[in-house]
Amino acid sequence: MENIDNIYEQLDKELSMNGADNLREIRRGALEKFRRTGIPTTRHEEWKYTRVSSLFNKQLNLPVSGADLPFTREDLDALRLPGQAEANELVFINGLYSAAFSVIRSSGIEIVPLAIAAENEYAPIVKAHLGHSSKYHEDGLHALNTAWLRDGAFVSVKKSAVPEHPLYIINIADARKQHQFLQPRCLIHLAARAVLQVIDNNITIGNVDCLTSQVVEAVVEEAAFLEYYKLQHDAPNSSIVSTTHIRHVGKSNSHVVTISLDGKLVRNNLNIVLDAEHCESHMYGLYMPKGDDHIDNHTLVDNVKPHCFSNELYKGVMSDRSTGVFNGKIFVRQQAQKTNAYQSNKNILLSPEASVNTKPQLEIFADDVKCSHGCTIGQLDEDGIFYLRSRGISEDMARSLLLHGFATDILEQIKPLALRNYMEELINHRLELKEYEY
């Protein structure tokens, strides 16, 4: 494909011209992997139901580092979520880390360009953990992001730090003039006993088609706690492939909630690697595509060490001609005895033209574990609708109330109150519950 060849040639030329740096080896290796594997197609088992190759039929433009952008701080102010104005902000504009727009308001957090972190006191952390997600993703799209990580960001949360404000990751795509192919990259490190709330949001301005390939890798040390909230409520001309890779290297906890409401094509890869004993992770997801939207959630829990616990609940509501995909995997390594792992996926189809493909999986190589998985696909409960109608509630309102109840299990897992209220408003608007008061 000519467009893909042009992307390869541009990156190959850049890596040949620039001087030596600590990221060159990993970038060059990733580019070679991209050359071998290319963009994934439906012939790849992991991409069987999600077609991304057609997105490259258009001439996609890679952003140029240091280029002048018609974007101001006033533009950012208009895009903020509730509660964000007082929070820490890590801003990517067209896939490139912007130090000028990023701001830290809490003590104990530091953000530096990834290229600088690879050369200063953070170099051992970068060397040990950057690119660990590539062990779980053999596709060329993920490799291409690594080949492009020149303008990534490194986030350090100091030992025992408990920031008073969350960290908002804002990925802004300027699609007002040309098709964009953006590849933001971030590495987050939580030192021992550190705590961090992360709220990840993608925003597209403009009406031109835009594709974002995002990779966020997080390292959680002993007794640390990471909360990660991913919000996907973007423009209909926006497509995103997002990889969130959380590696527990000490006894620690994580709590991840992914809410996917809008976007032409959405693919979420969530990896939880429990690489220390007595780790705990909770994963929740809600996806509600409409129209012709396609939302794909791939999750993976790798139990490397014994005595770990994970719990996963994903729910989907498909309407119109939309498509949902859920593929959840739980690996239990041979040495990971006493593992407890649970996984559940529940789906509701609101239209005969809507569809969902769900595939929960267990691969267990240990003999002393407690693991379960399950999935359901169905329609709204007619008995529930009849009951509400018998109480004087209209049929449309009854359906909306049942759907809201279906989604509540996930919304209640959003701990920041301002974000939860905002998500409630979005869900209520989607379900046309404007007249209903809680």
Side-chain angles (χ1 to χ4, degrees), residues 151-352:
D151 292 283
F154 176 82
V155 179
S156 172
V157 186
K158 306 300 183 181
K159 187 175 181 179
S160 301
V162 183
E164 59 270 32
H165 303 298
L167 173 67
Y168 281 75
I169 301 178
I170 311 105
N171 296 294
I172 300 172
D174 188 349
R176 289 177 284 192
K177 293 184 179 180
Q178 59 183 5
H179 301 295
Q180 298 279 13
F181 180 30
L182 314 178
Q183 302 180 81
R185 184 64 172 253
C186 181
L187 176 61
I188 302 174
H189 178 255
L190 273 68
R193 298 185 298 281
V195 176
L196 182 65
Q197 279 187 346
V198 177
I199 300 169
D200 188 343
N201 188 25
N202 293 278
I203 304 168
T204 301
I205 53 177
N207 299 316
V208 180
D209 286 351
C210 176
L211 170 61
T212 300
S213 175
Q214 177 195 24
V215 177
V216 176
E217 295 173 312
V219 185
V220 189
E221 301 278 1
E222 181 74 19
F225 179 41
L226 173 64
E227 289 181 42
Y228 201 100
Y229 302 95
K230 183 179 292 292
L231 168 61
Q232 293 166 330
H233 175 54
D234 209 348
N237 57 304
S238 171
S239 297
I240 182 169
V241 177
S242 175
T243 297
T244 304
H245 182 85
I246 301 175
R247 184 184 184 191
H248 294 259
V249 296
K251 178 183 176 182
S252 52
N253 294 354
S254 62
H255 179 91
V256 185
V257 181
T258 303
I259 309 292
S260 304
L261 300 181
D262 295 286
K264 181 179 180 180
L265 181 148
V266 176
R267 165 66 178 251
N268 293 314
N269 300 313
L270 173 61
N271 306 331
I272 305 293
V273 183
L274 304 176
D275 207 359
E277 295 188 24
H278 300 286
C279 291
E280 184 173 327
S281 182
H282 297 263
M283 295 149 282
Y284 303 93
L286 176 65
Y287 47 102
M288 303 180 69
K290 67 182 189 309
D292 294 312
D293 292 348
H294 177 94
I295 298 179
D296 179 352
N297 283 287
H298 268 60
T299 68
L300 182 149
V301 180
D302 188 1
N303 293 274
V304 181
K305 300 294 174 63
H307 301 284
C308 291
F309 174 82
S310 64
N311 182 51
E312 179 177 5
L313 174 61
Y314 270 66
K315 290 187 172 184
V317 179
M318 276 57 63
S319 60
D320 303 323
R321 299 164 304 282
S322 65
T323 305
V325 179
F326 175 82
N327 190 329
K329 295 182 180 180
I330 295 176
F331 291 121
V332 181
R333 307 293 179 178
Q334 186 173 3
Q335 67 272 22
Q337 304 292 340
K338 303 296 183 180
T339 289
N340 287 349
Y342 305 97
Q343 180 189 94
S344 179
N345 175 229
K346 301 179 180 181
N347 300 277
I348 293 178
L349 300 179
L350 299 180
S351 164

Side-chain angles (χ1 to χ4, degrees), residues 65-125:
S65 180
D68 293 333
L69 295 171
F71 192 82
T72 65
R73 189 161 293 279
E74 287 71 24
D75 293 329
L76 178 61
D77 292 340
L79 301 174
R80 284 193 173 100
L81 294 174
Q84 185 175 332
E86 296 81 26
N88 307 290
E89 295 178 310
L90 170 56
V91 180
F92 291 85
I93 299 178
N94 286 353
L96 308 176
Y97 164 58
S98 173
F101 286 94
S102 301
V103 59
I104 294 298
R105 297 181 171 92
S106 301
S107 59
I109 303 181
E110 184 179 8
I111 300 177
V112 297
L114 193 52
I116 294 178
E119 298 176 351
N120 62 15
E121 68 271 21
Y122 299 119
I125 299 173

Side-chain angles (χ1 to χ4, degrees), residues 380-390 393 398-399 402:
L380 282 175
D381 180 16
E382 293 298 329
D383 290 339
I385 295 175
F386 176 80
Y387 174 83
L388 291 173
R389 293 195 66 188
S390 69
I393 297 175
R399 291 179 178 275
L402 289 177

